[in-house]
Amino acid sequence: MIHATFIRRKGNLESVELTGHAGSGEYGFDIVCAAVSTLSINLVNSLEVLADCKADLAIDEIDGGYMKIDISHITRKTDEKVQLLFGSFLLGMTNLAENSQEFVSVQVIAN
């Protein structure tokens, strides 16, 4: 199962940590994994290109199953565009979790 843990501080989304594997299909044919990968890489690219915001990115490139996208250090993290893009990612992940409950879970931790 893929677990997505979002951190929200003072009302602003600041990071998301993705752990685990969906296991909804054979390696290379797992459409849930592909959906999560597409959404997460799109967030990183959109932040950079559309909002001029470079997120810290940590990925387990050997075993997979881990990605952390962090903008907590960015001074523009409260920017409307940045929060809209992060909110859109949360929406996409939440919808995916609702439709694939056995493969994806989403948690938002508010501090």
Side-chain angles (χ1 to χ4, degrees):
M1 175 175 276
I2 295 174
H3 300 281
T5 305
F6 289 81
I7 302 295
R8 184 187 300 272
R9 286 196 178 88
K10 297 180 181 176
N12 295 303
L13 291 165
E14 289 195 350
S15 69
V16 61
E17 187 173 45
L18 304 163
T19 59
H21 295 278
S24 71
E26 298 180 33
Y27 179 80
F29 297 93
D30 188 331
I31 61 170
V32 175
C33 177
V36 171
S37 295
T38 300
L39 285 170
S40 58
I41 294 302
N42 188 64
L43 171 62
V44 173
N45 291 339
S46 294
L47 285 169
E48 191 169 324
V49 173
L50 301 175
D52 195 29
C53 176
K54 184 141 176 72
D56 280 344
L57 184 61
I59 300 174
D60 182 342
E61 295 186 29
I62 296 171
D63 296 320
Y66 181 82
M67 176 185 279
K68 183 171 184 180
I69 303 166
D70 186 357
I71 61 166
S72 62
H73 67 288
I74 304 288
T75 56
R76 297 186 53 232
K77 66 183 165 239
T78 60
D79 182 85
E80 188 176 341
K81 270 187 192 176
V82 171
Q83 286 302 306
L84 180 65
L85 292 169
F86 226 118
S88 176
F89 178 63
L90 173 58
L91 177 64
M93 288 298 296
T94 300
N95 286 338
L96 186 59
E98 288 171 358
N99 292 310
S100 302
Q101 294 176 5
E102 63 274 22
F103 303 117
V104 180
S105 72
V106 172
Q107 175 183 18
V108 179
I109 299 172
N111 294 334

